[in-house]
Amino acid sequence: MCNFTVEKGNLKKVYLFALLILGLAVLACTDIAKAQWSAIKNSDYAVTTNWHGIDVPIGQVVVATAGTTDLAVTHVVFIWRNSSENIVWVDNVTVSELTTPKVPDNVPDEVTRWANESQGICYKYAQSAITPMVEGKWGIQAIFYNATGPVNNHRENFVVKRAASVNVIPDAPVVGTAGLVSAMAFGLGLFKLKQKKN
């Protein structure tokens, strides 16, 4: 068995380094969570889920929200694919209209932040929900349609496509940041207790 010892002066450095790594991981996850909806600022179209950036325990409801500031959009078609790329569900949803800071139900914080930072913007949204019962990476494609686009030779009058994804895991509690901090504190306490006994 390996004997790992850390001098008392270096112990603080180890703790600070561990906290720095944890802080960077939390910031990275926060940036990832913002990435989906922020597309609406630059391209007028976005799609995200209520689980964006978080693993989904199997059997939980996933709500995809597509939004646009293009007021000509009339409906959104959501295409849900499982990890085998098979289409599991296609949902054709008529859009609803809101003005920021109002947001639909079941949206992640990134949507609420956008609505609070961009008050007075009229936008359209549609939502589709599914309960994945198969593990793996699921893809959600949102196709935005309008009534004014050309409909020639059986072409669809879609404006733009956006995609999001979620990772479905076996049924287990989601640890999250609070869980990680608690686990680190518990480990530190055990370490200190063991150190006092020696």
Side-chain angles (χ1 to χ4, degrees), residues 8 18 26 28 45 50 62 82 84 92 100-101 117 141 148 157 184 190:
K8 284 190 177 188
V26 169
Y45 304 91
N50 59 333
V62 177
N82 62 16
S84 302
N92 187 341
T100 57
E117 293 168 1
Q141 187 177 42
T148 59
N157 59 335
M184 282 183 62
L190 283 178

Side-chain angles (χ1 to χ4, degrees), residues 14-196:
V14 171
Y15 293 147
L16 289 173
F17 181 73
L19 286 173
L20 176 66
I21 295 299
L22 178 64
L24 290 174
V26 169
L27 287 175
C29 289
T30 302
D31 287 343
I32 289 170
K34 290 180 185 176
Q36 292 291 322
W37 197 260
S38 64
I40 203 167
K41 291 178 184 177
N42 301 323
S43 69
D44 299 327
Y45 304 91
V47 64
T48 191
T49 70
N50 59 333
W51 289 90
H52 181 66
I54 306 169
D55 288 338
V56 181
I58 201 163
Q60 295 296 311
V61 176
V62 177
V63 179
T65 302
T68 180
T69 54
D70 178 355
L71 300 182
V73 170
T74 56
H75 64 284
V76 176
V77 173
F78 292 90
I79 300 173
W80 295 77
R81 296 177 190 269
N82 62 16
S83 58
S84 302
E85 293 293 318
N86 297 322
I87 294 175
V88 176
W89 179 252
V90 177
D91 200 6
N92 187 341
V93 183
T94 302
V95 295
S96 297
E97 194 171 298
L98 283 176
T99 301
T100 57
K102 292 182 181 176
V103 295
D105 293 334
N106 297 310
V107 295
D109 289 341
E110 61 178 320
V111 178
T112 304
R113 279 192 303 272
W114 168 79
N116 287 329
E117 293 168 1
S118 312
Q119 296 207 10
I121 294 177
C122 187
Y123 69 102
K124 293 190 174 184
Y125 76 93
Q127 291 184 312
S128 177
I130 193 171
T131 304
M133 298 306 287
V134 177
E135 297 173 36
K137 188 142 185 142
W138 283 66
I140 305 107
Q141 187 177 42
I143 306 172
F144 296 81
Y145 289 83
N146 68 35
T148 59
V151 187
N152 303 357
N153 302 325
H154 303 289
R155 286 187 181 165
E156 305 279 8
N157 59 335
F158 74 87
V159 179
V160 72
K161 297 178 185 178
R162 289 287 179 264
S165 63
V166 292
N167 188 38
V168 178
I169 59 171
D171 189 16
V174 178
V175 176
T177 305
L180 289 173
V181 172
S182 299
M184 282 183 62
F186 181 72
L188 178 62
L190 283 178
F191 178 75
K192 287 285 204 179
L193 184 64
K194 193 172 185 179
Q195 191 177 33
K196 284 183 183 179

